[in-house]
Amino acid sequence: MRIYRVSGSVVEAEDARGVEMHEIVLVGSEQLVGEVIRINEDHAFIQVYEDTYGLRPGENITPTGHPLSLELGPGLLGTIYDGVQRPLTVLNEKEGELIRRGVSASPLDRNKKWHFIPLLKTGQDIKGGEVLGTVPETDIISHRVLIAPDTKGKLSWVADEGEYALEEAVAKINGEKPIYMYHTWPVREPRPYAQRLEADQPLITGQRVIDALFPMAKGGSAIIPGGFGTGKTVVQHQLAKWADADVVVYVGCGERGNEMTEVLRDFPKLKDPRSGKPLMMRTVLIANTSNMPVAAREASIYTGITIAEYFRDMGYSVALMADSTSRWAEALREISGRLEEMPGEEGYPPYLASRLAEFYERAGRVKTLSGSEGSVTVVGAVSPMGGDFSEPVTQNSLRFVQVFWGLDKDLADRRHFPSINWITSYSQYIHMVENWWVNNVAKDWPALVKETFRLLQAENELESLVRLVGIDALPEDQKLMLLIARMIREGFLQQNAFNDIDTYSSPKKQYLLLKAMIDFYNSSKEVIEKKIPEAKIEDLPIIGEINRARFTYSDEAQLEDLVKRAASAPKSILGEID
Amino acid sequence: MSKDPAMQLRGNVSYATVTQISGPLIFVSGIKGVGYDELVQVKAGNRHSMGRVLDVSKEVAVIEVFKGTTGLSLGETSVEFLGRGLEVGVSQDILGRVFDGIGAPADGKPEPFVKEKRDINGSPINPTAREYPSEFIETGISAIDGMDSLVRGQKLPIFSGAGLPHNALAAQIVRQAKLLNSSESFAVVFVAIGITHDEAMYFRKSFEESGALANTSMVLNLADSPPVERITAPRVGLTMAEYLAFEEAMHVLVVMTDMTNYCNALREISSSRGEIPARKGYPGYMYTDLASIYERAGKIIGKKGSITLLPILTMPNDDISHPIPDLTGYITEGQIVLDRGLYRKGIYPPVDIALSLSRLMKDGVGKGFTREDHMDLSNQLYASYARMKEVRSLEMVVGEEGLSEKDKMYLKFGEFFEQNFLNQRENQDRSIEQTLDLGWQALSVLPEDELTRVSKEEIKTYMKKS
């Protein structure tokens, strides 16, 4: 097989008979890694995961016989990879601060010894997905050593508890086949599971507008579309920091280099609110920044989700953030253009929708092959051109996800963050996760949420009226609704990611904040019914205190006290008048 | 690419087999051993030009010719493949000099001393090797320092429109930009992309007056220079900047203007190749292409220097959702947006703070950097200004009579903020303390209860001082 043509990241090969679709090939004298993406008679089209400059027609291409696969085993956590699982820290040590091509490094450290504790015994029949043993990979996560899904047989030997490197066998099947602590799996093939389960457990994110109004479920899928400057990345980072998943996979797909640097700087310092250990211990990072090769960008999403599925198969809840799926779609478009395929909408290939569907369908809560419960939650950021949600990536994604967090340019311009628009956004999980709140936080939670939605909706309708007639023309009860809606916006929906107290709200705090506002509303209503003007309510100093509570109070007792005072404050006006 | 030994060994062969000429592109057939993206010398009679391989197959190579294809003919054009990419020679001697869009001297002086030659495309920085930018740069401009602070290693574009004073603003930043408590060596790389002689002269004069000229490298592709060289000019400039920053430990400020001309040149070449366009005729890979320029800004762990990038672009028809500003905004770390309405009111710099943003501000300001109240104050000013704008639009409907007392206070705040905080002279250099105090002074017009983004303590400490 030889190079016939080079155009950007796509190489056309001649004499390519026998090569398989999606097979990995090594291109040219520097053996650049590429993947076969189309075969036409004896010509094959290869997307190359590295820079193609200097490649010449006539150079050799070597097939490898296997598809693009990952190494899955201990050592993934806390590591940052590029789109095809090359460890970036190792590349930095080997090659210096610039990413050169033709450099390879094994994804998992071959020298490191891991402490292996066997769970299965010699003589047992095993099948794919079973847990052979465990390795304490980090202080938070115990790595369950899985039998590769496509393997089965009788265990003829299992290693004793002890320290082993990855290349040392820890078991044997049928007297011959060695089993290691890691196995490989092709990225484009979803890992199998026993059964799909309903997504009825909330993924608590500590972000109020999400948890209260547009909740995420473990195993669910969501998109966050938003123009530049609307705070997509901050929301994604917040989810990666605070979501109550066991493992987080963060894919920086075609975004800024400094954003990955920020994660690398912050996550080792930030503490997981549940375990108190550094967040990096539960995180795997995949980085294909916007100036890294475009074909590897296409692969990075699959690399991320395959790693997520692998931890799911150990029985963990995994959250995957992909920032941004638009860059992935654009990589598809660029490669499709180089292949001279007939374009669909806005130049995107016609198979964009089916690729998106395949990706989002890999999210889910499942019973694993070994019988435990695991989940992969997927949150994809979308960067629509000009912030216009009618573009193909947003529209096609919406058909396959259950949650839509639409980021709003106007809110962002007013520095209302997170700028999730509460009128247009939705979550199809809101009723499914309600029980969890009722059982674990408070019985009146659904009622509070309902009232919140009602007030925000009313504000939205009244706003246009106010614009015409002025606020003074409204009846007192409607003025009150506007006041409370404003409090909800400022004191609840807004959340400062960079304030130490405000950055994360426990479910209980979310409940108490909302409770304070709605109780204040209800007792103010009673006061207004007694012909007291709404302006009197507006003058109450407790309003400022409630609005600031999100970043001034972290203590539950303080908040409980605030709730009490919020309910009684309006009545003090009656006292004055009597 | 010159590192590839196979390419170096191959003798340079000349071909006279040009079969097609289309826009800036020529198609050469019957070639052998031509590498993708390699540099070419194109000759026709006594005309010489450089070019670059855009696409190569066994039979034909597609070449973009930097000086354009005017005067080339099928029979008389010969093409020589050089076996390397476009390189530029670098050393400290490039400072104080002027170059054209492919890095050749353009000031009539001899070639500067060359310490090493570098491929203009550079290589991506490994994200694990980057140092997160966090050193505040005081520009002396309140709209920037107070609201959208610039830090060393940031890429912060100016989104402007035709006729707005973006050049004056960029020149003022170059003149006044300095780091708090610092006197390290600095350099300026100025890249002109398709701008007029007058504009280039303006910058030159401004650098000269401020004494920065000796520390400035200018890469000039002017409006009458070949459009294809608009593609190479920013890369030449950034290659120089990388050398100065990471080898000579200088803090380099790169000003590039006008990126709109760059994008239009990209579109021109793309359409000559018959590529399928994405939006408004721009190629689908424009995001990646722009990123390969903008992402070269930054800092590297263990290296002293930095590259701060200040690209200027004019939004066609002042439309921020146009693909050029849109894709830029997705890559850069914020944007400074100029507003025609403010400009007409006589406010300089006419920065629309609602649309402007600095993503790296949060890490470069506050206690130990500028002042502890900086971030909260800036958030409060944003919020109050946004509220003021709502009041203004309400006023248009109901008139001033229809406004509440509180609303009228907001109008007063807006007036003060625009006239005294945003507005300053082109040679006025305000310290960060002055800027912050002016901000508090503007807020003092409003009732304290309205200030929910700042703490009571901050109000007590700083409001009184003003």
Side-chain angles (χ1 to χ4, degrees):
Chain A
M1 196 169 17
R2 288 186 315 275
I3 298 178
Y4 173 78
R5 178 184 175 195
V6 189
S7 173
S9 53
V10 172
V11 163
E12 185 179 341
E14 57 181 357
D15 290 336
R17 260 183 225 286
V19 73
E20 283 172 28
M21 191 67 174
H22 292 139
E23 181 174 341
I24 289 295
V25 294
L26 303 172
V27 180
S29 57
E30 287 182 80
Q31 307 238 302
L32 308 182
V33 179
E35 181 183 7
V36 176
I37 50 170
R38 188 211 264 176
I39 301 170
N40 187 3
E41 296 191 11
D42 69 337
H43 278 223
F45 293 78
I46 297 155
Q47 61 176 358
V48 181
Y49 292 130
E50 297 175 75
D51 233 315
T52 53
Y53 62 75
L55 285 181
R56 296 184 302 274
E59 282 192 81
N60 269 325
I61 299 174
T62 320
T64 64
H66 59 77
L68 180 62
S69 304
L70 303 184
E71 284 187 1
L72 301 168
L76 290 166
L77 293 169
T79 307
I80 177 166
Y81 293 109
D82 76 354
V84 289
Q85 215 199 3
R86 293 191 303 173
L88 287 170
T89 315
V90 178
L91 292 189
N92 187 14
E93 285 158 11
K94 263 173 100 167
E95 290 290 318
E97 67 271 8
L98 300 178
I99 296 177
R100 314 270 183 200
R101 60 183 192 166
V103 185
S104 59
S106 59
L108 300 174
D109 189 343
R110 288 293 187 274
N111 299 320
K112 183 163 177 155
K113 297 258 185 189
W114 296 97
H115 187 79
F116 172 74
I117 306 159
L119 289 178
L120 299 179
K121 292 198 178 68
T122 308
Q124 275 183 287
D125 278 322
I126 53 149
K127 55 181 179 20
E130 274 190 86
V131 182
L132 176 68
T134 60
V135 168
E137 186 177 347
T138 68
D139 292 355
I140 317 179
I141 298 292
S142 160
H143 196 105
R144 294 172 191 149
V145 177
L146 298 179
I147 304 289
D150 49 6
T151 302
K152 63 178 176 188
K154 192 188 267 290
L155 279 176
S156 49
W157 171 73
V158 178
D160 294 333
E161 179 174 344
E163 314 291 316
Y164 299 91
L166 284 183
E167 294 295 5
E168 294 175 74
V170 288
K172 273 185 183 156
I173 294 183
N174 304 339
E176 45 186 309
K177 191 181 176 193
I179 302 282
Y180 303 99
M181 283 181 285
Y182 76 100
H183 63 263
T184 59
W185 189 260
V187 294
R188 295 189 196 277
E189 200 174 314
R191 288 174 63 90
Y193 49 82
Q195 194 193 336
R196 260 188 121 89
L197 302 172
E198 202 182 14
D200 55 5
Q201 305 287 319
L203 183 84
I204 297 296
T205 66
Q207 310 305 302
R208 291 184 294 265
V209 58
I210 292 177
D211 290 348
L213 301 188
F214 310 107
M216 187 60 174
K218 284 184 175 145
S221 54
I223 58 168
I224 320 181
F228 65 85
T230 51
K232 282 184 301 300
T233 301
V234 176
V235 174
Q236 289 275 48
H237 281 195
Q238 287 295 93
L239 296 179
K241 283 174 190 167
W242 309 122
D244 69 338
D246 299 316
V247 173
V248 168
V249 179
Y250 193 94
V251 186
C253 176
E255 293 288 302
R256 303 174 183 90
N258 276 332
E259 280 169 5
M260 296 314 290
T261 310
E262 188 182 7
V263 173
L264 286 172
R265 183 195 63 168
D266 290 350
F267 278 38
K269 283 189 245 158
L270 287 169
K271 299 274 190 301
D272 174 10
R274 290 176 303 161
S275 65
K277 300 286 180 186
L279 280 172
M280 204 61 194
M281 288 187 173
R282 66 162 199 185
T283 309
V284 184
L285 299 172
I286 316 287
N288 175 285
T289 58
S290 55
N291 55 344
M292 283 159 78
V294 103
R297 190 165 310 158
E298 194 271 334
S300 65
I301 290 274
Y302 297 101
T303 298
I305 196 126
T306 306
I307 291 174
E309 284 176 341
Y310 174 65
F311 282 102
R312 172 202 71 190
D313 291 348
M314 294 180 206
Y316 289 120
S317 75
V318 186
L320 174 118
M321 281 83 205
D323 185 13
S324 152
T325 59
S326 292
R327 305 304 163 217
W328 168 79
E330 283 164 13
L332 270 188
R333 174 169 71 185
E334 183 170 339
I335 293 156
S336 166
R338 303 274 186 198
L339 294 175
E340 291 164 5
E341 292 173 334
M342 187 65 89
E345 225 181 321
E346 288 195 20
Y348 288 104
Y351 46 79
L352 174 68
S354 54
R355 293 286 173 87
L356 283 166
E358 279 166 24
F359 170 66
Y360 283 110
E361 275 304 287
R362 288 174 79 169
R365 189 165 151 256
V366 304
K367 199 168 141 197
T368 67
L369 294 178
S370 65
S372 51
E373 259 182 47
S375 63
V376 172
T377 311
V378 173
V379 180
V382 183
S383 318
M385 274 272 229
D388 171 12
F389 292 173
S390 69
E391 57 88 44
V393 183
T394 312
Q395 286 306 313
N396 283 311
S397 301
L398 276 178
R399 290 160 50 204
F400 312 117
V401 301
Q402 272 65 49
V403 180
F404 169 67
W405 295 318
L407 299 186
D408 190 306
K409 184 87 182 125
D410 285 340
L411 289 176
D413 289 347
R414 276 189 268 153
R415 296 305 189 264
H416 174 116
F417 288 114
S419 67
I420 295 174
N421 182 313
W422 50 89
I423 303 295
T424 56
S425 300
Y426 61 80
S427 164
Q428 289 174 9
Y429 299 119
I430 188 156
H431 297 299
M432 294 168 85
V433 302
E434 224 167 58
N435 275 338
W436 182 91
W437 284 88
V438 169
N439 295 332
N440 292 282
V441 184
K443 292 218 165 32
D444 55 341
W445 174 257
L448 288 182
V449 171
K450 203 173 157 198
E451 185 69 353
T452 306
F453 267 117
R454 189 184 71 88
L455 285 165
L456 291 171
Q457 186 62 44
E459 181 195 40
N460 186 47
E461 285 161 13
L462 287 174
E463 250 176 10
S464 43
L465 189 64
V466 168
R467 223 162 268 153
L468 284 177
V469 300
I471 194 163
D472 289 333
L474 291 185
E476 296 300 302
D477 60 330
Q478 290 188 342
K479 280 188 202 163
L480 180 64
M481 280 164 92
L482 287 181
L483 171 71
I484 306 295
R486 193 171 156 199
M487 287 171 70
I488 293 171
R489 282 192 281 117
E490 285 188 10
F492 189 81
L493 298 182
Q494 287 190 25
Q495 190 162 357
N496 186 345
F498 307 110
N499 178 290
D500 289 340
I501 296 175
D502 203 18
T503 186
Y504 174 84
S505 273
S506 67
K508 183 83 184 182
K509 180 173 175 181
Q510 300 189 28
Y511 165 74
L512 291 171
L513 284 175
L514 216 46
K515 175 101 177 142
M517 292 176 190
I518 303 296
D519 281 5
F520 178 76
Y521 173 53
N522 288 330
S523 70
S524 300
K525 248 193 321 197
E526 287 172 29
V527 173
I528 281 187
E529 276 161 18
K530 303 212 163 97
K531 303 282 175 241
I532 310 282
E534 185 265 352
K536 285 267 179 205
I537 304 269
E538 230 174 284
D539 287 340
L540 289 171
I542 197 162
I543 294 177
E545 191 186 345
I546 296 174
N547 282 344
R548 288 197 181 95
R550 62 186 171 94
F551 57 84
T552 44
Y553 298 144
S554 52
D555 190 48
E556 273 176 28
Q558 289 172 313
L559 287 160
E560 306 257 15
D561 176 59
L562 179 69
V563 170
K564 275 193 212 118
R565 286 185 293 119
S568 60
K571 300 200 170 125
S572 67
I573 300 171
L574 291 178
E576 280 169 29
I577 288 173
D578 290 343
Chain B
M1 130 175 17
S2 55
K3 287 201 189 92
D4 180 355
M7 240 189 209
Q8 297 256 295
L9 284 173
R10 192 199 60 205
N12 295 336
V13 193
S14 186
Y15 296 90
T17 45
V18 176
T19 52
Q20 190 188 332
I21 302 175
S22 161
L25 306 183
I26 58 174
F27 296 69
V28 188
S29 63
I31 42 141
K32 214 177 160 192
V34 170
Y36 176 68
D37 208 19
E38 90 175 71
L39 194 64
V40 241
Q41 173 103 41
V42 182
K43 288 183 200 162
N46 51 11
R47 267 177 55 94
H48 287 245
S49 177
M50 304 297 267
R52 185 168 73 104
V53 177
L54 285 186
D55 190 318
V56 61
S57 74
K58 221 170 149 187
E59 285 99 32
V60 69
V62 182
I63 293 157
E64 89 187 0
V65 183
F66 295 148
K67 298 256 185 272
T69 49
T70 311
L72 299 187
S73 68
L74 294 189
E76 282 160 36
T77 306
S78 76
V79 176
E80 188 184 339
F81 295 90
L82 300 180
R84 58 180 170 86
L86 183 57
E87 291 173 335
V88 52
V90 286
S91 73
Q92 271 208 322
D93 290 3
I94 56 178
L95 292 173
R97 299 291 308 270
V98 182
F99 303 88
D100 70 5
I102 54 173
D107 48 8
K109 293 185 202 155
E111 189 97 28
F113 167 70
V114 173
K115 199 166 163 199
E116 59 178 291
K117 287 206 155 217
R118 291 191 169 199
D119 190 287
I120 63 158
N121 288 314
S123 293
I125 302 174
N126 188 323
T128 63
R130 277 185 188 271
E131 187 174 323
Y132 197 76
S134 62
E135 291 164 274
F136 177 75
I137 299 177
E138 192 180 271
T139 66
I141 299 162
S142 295
I144 296 176
D145 292 352
M147 309 300 288
D148 300 292
S149 309
L150 179 67
V151 299
R152 254 183 194 172
Q154 186 173 13
K155 37 190 181 293
L156 188 66
I158 299 174
F159 287 9
S160 185
L164 295 181
H166 43 267
N167 290 341
L169 179 60
Q172 187 176 7
I173 293 172
V174 171
R175 275 197 312 271
Q176 298 179 177
K178 55 188 174 291
L179 273 155
L180 287 180
N181 323 314
S182 161
S183 55
E184 287 153 298
S185 66
F186 78 100
V188 177
V189 172
F190 176 77
V191 184
I193 309 162
I195 61 170
T196 61
H197 282 270
D198 291 349
E199 284 173 289
M201 289 257 287
Y202 172 82
F203 277 102
R204 200 196 138 84
K205 218 176 117 199
S206 155
F207 298 152
E208 202 165 13
E209 280 166 5
S210 62
L213 195 61
N215 275 332
T216 303
S217 231
M218 299 181 91
V219 179
L220 299 185
N221 169 281
L222 299 178
D224 55 358
S225 318
V228 181
E229 289 185 13
R230 284 172 200 156
I231 304 297
T232 54
R235 294 182 166 84
V236 167
L238 284 162
T239 306
M240 293 175 170
E242 279 169 352
Y243 171 82
L244 296 170
F246 304 130
E247 302 301 326
E248 301 290 345
M250 302 178 102
H251 293 289
V252 188
L253 186 61
V254 182
V255 178
M256 300 195 305
T257 179
D258 177 336
M259 288 305 289
T260 302
N261 295 330
Y262 173 87
C263 294
N264 289 341
L266 202 65
R267 173 167 69 178
E268 188 181 330
I269 291 163
S270 168
S271 91
S272 311
R273 293 176 71 184
E275 289 172 339
I276 298 151
R279 242 184 212 199
K280 296 209 170 167
Y282 294 96
Y285 51 78
M286 190 156 89
Y287 174 83
T288 308
D289 188 278
L290 285 172
S292 72
I293 293 175
Y294 296 141
E295 278 287 324
R296 289 170 81 170
K299 295 191 69 182
I300 292 178
I301 295 171
K303 305 245 173 174
K304 267 198 174 147
S306 63
I307 298 179
T308 308
L309 189 54
L310 210 64
I312 298 170
L313 59 86
T314 44
M315 300 180 281
N317 201 23
D318 292 354
D319 175 11
I320 197 168
S321 69
H322 184 280
I324 297 172
D326 192 52
L327 293 179
T328 298
Y330 276 121
I331 304 165
T332 53
E333 285 141 352
Q335 66 278 335
I336 305 287
V337 184
L338 302 190
D339 177 70
R340 207 168 287 279
L342 286 172
Y343 176 65
R344 289 207 188 102
K345 271 191 184 172
I347 305 226
Y348 171 88
V351 176
D352 181 341
I353 60 153
L355 295 179
S356 302
L357 169 73
S358 166
R359 289 165 191 271
L360 301 183
M361 175 174 182
K362 61 182 176 13
D363 295 281
V365 304
K367 207 173 173 184
F369 300 100
T370 53
R371 210 167 78 182
E372 53 172 2
D373 56 318
H374 192 160
M375 203 65 222
D376 286 344
L377 171 65
S378 142
N379 281 334
Q380 183 63 60
L381 287 169
Y382 270 118
S384 303
Y385 192 71
R387 178 82 199 276
M388 183 281 297
K389 280 196 154 178
E390 283 170 24
V391 174
R392 264 192 200 163
S393 59
L394 184 66
E395 188 196 9
M396 293 219 257
V397 182
V398 300
E400 211 189 324
E401 321 297 273
L403 296 180
S404 69
E405 280 311 306
K406 210 184 261 173
D407 287 345
K408 284 179 192 157
M409 288 179 190
Y410 269 100
L411 290 183
K412 222 174 121 194
F413 159 79
E415 200 59 25
F416 185 93
F417 181 79
E418 288 176 354
Q419 294 298 340
N420 299 296
F421 183 92
L422 288 185
N423 198 20
Q424 66 186 83
R425 292 188 310 279
E426 266 182 53
N427 57 3
Q428 191 174 17
D429 193 353
R430 286 189 195 142
S431 73
I432 182 66
E433 283 78 18
Q434 285 174 320
T435 291
L436 297 179
D437 290 346
L438 270 174
W440 281 108
Q441 215 178 322
L443 288 181
S444 67
V445 175
L446 297 170
E448 246 179 63
D449 278 352
E450 291 290 295
L451 310 178
T452 55
R453 309 287 177 111
V454 287
S455 70
K456 289 232 160 78
E457 292 72 42
E458 285 169 335
I459 296 178
K460 209 183 281 168
T461 318
Y462 296 105
M463 187 82 96
K464 275 182 192 153
K465 265 173 73 177
S466 320

